[in-house]
């Protein structure tokens, strides 16, 4: 009897461990840099990267890039596209080992080209050639949103309750939060809204999928608020962006070129997609990390169809 009880006890102890045990991920079909498809003429990629911190010291370890949104502009068709990447997707780092996308920068560090390694990882996994990027943190996003006077965001009743409990100051939204509805958010409130994961958003999404949509919602609201901006006002906003940038590959002339392009396309409808698309990923615990293993072949196809399609507006549920 004692032996049976001991055996049962061992099984009870072992079961949780088995359920949480690491799995062997499938090989990831990374594309060598020299084989990446060229960027079509007229298309410009700008990678926006947000570090998960309010006061980032890029010289120190522990910086995770939890916000990653690609802004793509097609100057010939007048399209502006947002592609967000979930932070916990399983990727192959440039050194050949598996890892999470948001940990690539921290693994290599700034002095060893961590941000460049992150951009390279996105390029080789999604067959892109992104050269221009801007890195900010939460405080700097707050400052930029405040510089344009805030943003309008529609929220659910549960989101409103979360924000009230956080808590944010009553003056952080106009009107003061009371329930579901559309509010004008200050920079701080907008950042807290973007960071929510456990509360379902307006589309019923939670976790990183919900968070990526919230980031796109804020960026779209920023674009909407700038439809009537003058060139002088745009220059002032550019000064604010430059002042609130931690690190960038873009020169001042690069940013002025991007500003000119943005002015030409202001008022354009913002199209968006999420990587990975629905139905192409599954949870995959690897090396003690909670990750999502995704079908990169299917997602590359969806992303390239999205970017190169001049007529169809795409959302998350790409078919």
């Amino acid at each position: 009897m004692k032996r049976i009880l001991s055996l049962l006890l061992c099984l009870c102890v072992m079961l949780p461990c088995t359920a949480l045990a690491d799995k062997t991920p499938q090989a990831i079909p990374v594309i060598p840099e020299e084989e990446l498809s060229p960027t079509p003429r007229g298309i410009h990629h700008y990678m926006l990267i947000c570090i998960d911190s309010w006061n980032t010291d890029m010289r120190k370890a522990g910086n995770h890039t939890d916000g990653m949104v690609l802004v793509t502009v097609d100057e010939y068709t007048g399209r502006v596209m947002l592609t967000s990447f979930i932070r916990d997707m399983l990727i192959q780092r440039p050194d050949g080992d598996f890892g999470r996308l948001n940990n690539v920068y921290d693994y290599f560090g700034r002095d060893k080209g961590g941000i460049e390694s992150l951009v390279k990882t996105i390029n080789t996994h999604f067959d892109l050639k992104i050269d221009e990027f801007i890195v900010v943190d939460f405080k700097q996003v707050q400052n930029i949103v405040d510089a344009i006077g805030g943003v309008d965001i529609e929220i659910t009743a549960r989101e409103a309750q979360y924000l009230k409990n956080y808590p944010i100051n009553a003056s952080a939204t106009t009107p003061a939060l009371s329930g579901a509805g559309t509010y004008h958010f200050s920079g701080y409130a907008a950042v807290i809204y973007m960071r929510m994961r456990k509360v379902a958003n307006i589309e019923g999404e939670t976790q990183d999928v919900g968070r990526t949509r919230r980031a796109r919602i804020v960026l779209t609201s920023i674009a909407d608020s700038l439809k009537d901006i003058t060139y002088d006002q745009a220059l002032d906003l550019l000064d604010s962006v430059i002042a609130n940038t931690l690190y960038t590959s873009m020169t001042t002339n690069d940013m002025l070129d991007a500003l000119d392009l943005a002015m030409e396309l202001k008022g354009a409808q913002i199209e968006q997609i999420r990587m990975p698309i629905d139905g192409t990923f599954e949870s995959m615990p690897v090396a003690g990390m909670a990750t999502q293993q995704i079908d990169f072949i299917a997602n590359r196809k969806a992303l390239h169809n999205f970017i190169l399609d001049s007529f169809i507006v795409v959302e998350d549920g790409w078919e």
Side-chain angles (χ1 to χ4, degrees):
M1 185 66 178
K2 289 182 179 180
R3 290 182 179 178
I4 294 175
L5 290 174
S6 298
L7 179 60
L8 289 173
L9 180 60
C10 289
L11 288 173
C12 289
V13 171
M14 291 172 64
L15 280 174
C17 296
T18 302
L20 297 176
D22 287 348
K23 297 181 180 179
T24 301
Q26 298 173 3
I28 296 177
V30 175
I31 301 174
E33 285 189 285
E34 62 274 13
E35 297 178 16
L36 294 173
S37 301
T39 302
R41 188 173 181 180
I43 288 182
H44 307 268
H45 294 306
Y46 306 97
M47 192 74 205
L48 307 182
I49 301 168
C50 185
I51 291 178
D52 189 28
S53 171
W54 286 97
N55 188 21
T56 303
D57 183 345
M58 294 188 70
R59 297 168 298 179
K60 296 182 179 180
N63 294 317
H64 295 151
T65 54
D66 280 10
M68 292 163 285
V69 178
L70 177 64
V71 180
T72 301
V73 177
D74 187 336
E75 63 177 299
Y76 293 152
T77 63
R79 298 175 67 211
V80 180
M81 297 158 272
L82 301 181
T83 303
S84 55
F85 300 85
I86 62 172
R87 62 178 186 154
D88 58 350
M89 71 169 64
L90 182 67
I91 50 85
Q92 181 178 305
R93 296 194 307 251
D95 64 358
D97 288 340
F98 290 113
R100 281 170 50 129
L101 185 62
N102 70 328
N103 290 346
V104 173
Y105 164 64
D106 185 51
Y107 181 83
F108 289 97
R110 176 176 176 177
D111 294 339
K112 295 181 180 179
I115 292 295
E116 289 80 1
S117 294
L118 170 62
V119 174
K120 175 181 177 180
T121 299
I122 293 173
N123 282 338
T124 57
H125 285 62
F126 292 95
D127 194 16
L128 297 169
K129 282 192 173 182
I130 304 166
D131 296 313
E132 298 181 312
F133 58 79
I134 292 177
V135 183
V136 296
D137 65 11
F138 292 144
K139 181 64 176 178
Q140 293 168 325
V141 173
Q142 173 185 335
N143 292 342
I144 293 170
V145 172
D146 285 336
I148 66 169
V151 291
D152 293 328
I153 302 173
E154 181 184 0
I155 61 174
T156 66
R158 289 186 63 194
E159 287 175 328
Q161 190 60 50
Y162 177 92
L163 293 168
K164 288 167 67 176
N165 291 340
Y166 190 79
I168 62 172
N169 191 290
S171 63
T173 65
T174 305
L177 284 173
S178 59
T182 299
Y183 297 85
H184 192 71
F185 278 61
S186 69
Y188 177 74
V191 172
I192 301 305
Y193 164 80
M194 286 192 294
R195 295 186 69 197
M196 279 191 282
R197 290 192 299 115
K198 295 183 179 180
V199 178
N201 62 17
I202 204 78
E203 299 293 331
E205 301 161 329
T206 60
Q207 300 304 322
D208 205 33
V209 171
R211 178 181 276 185
T212 57
R213 184 183 289 273
R214 288 188 176 103
R216 299 196 308 273
I217 287 172
V218 170
L219 287 173
T220 300
S221 184
I222 289 174
D224 288 343
S225 71
L226 299 177
K227 287 180 179 178
D228 299 320
I229 194 172
T230 67
Y231 193 79
D232 286 341
Q233 291 171 328
L235 285 174
D236 290 339
L237 177 58
L238 179 60
D239 287 340
S240 179
V241 171
I242 293 173
N244 287 284
T245 296
L246 286 171
Y247 184 53
T248 181
S249 63
M250 300 177 69
T251 65
T252 301
N253 285 337
D254 291 334
M255 291 193 175
L256 286 171
D257 288 342
L259 176 65
D260 289 340
L261 187 55
M263 291 299 291
E264 291 178 15
L265 299 178
K266 66 178 182 178
Q269 182 179 1
I270 308 297
E271 305 171 42
Q272 52 183 282
I273 193 171
R274 183 195 71 233
M275 290 287 105
I277 57 174
D278 292 340
T280 64
F281 60 100
E282 63 177 346
S283 297
M284 175 67 67
V286 176
M289 301 179 293
T291 74
Q292 303 293 330
Q293 180 170 266
I294 81 171
D295 181 343
F296 283 101
I297 301 297
N299 279 280
R300 281 179 204 151
K301 180 179 178 181
L303 180 56
H304 283 256
N305 285 345
F306 169 62
I307 291 174
L308 298 178
D309 190 331
S310 300
F311 305 100
I312 300 175
V313 178
V314 183
E315 258 292 44
D316 287 347
W318 180 272
E319 295 291 334

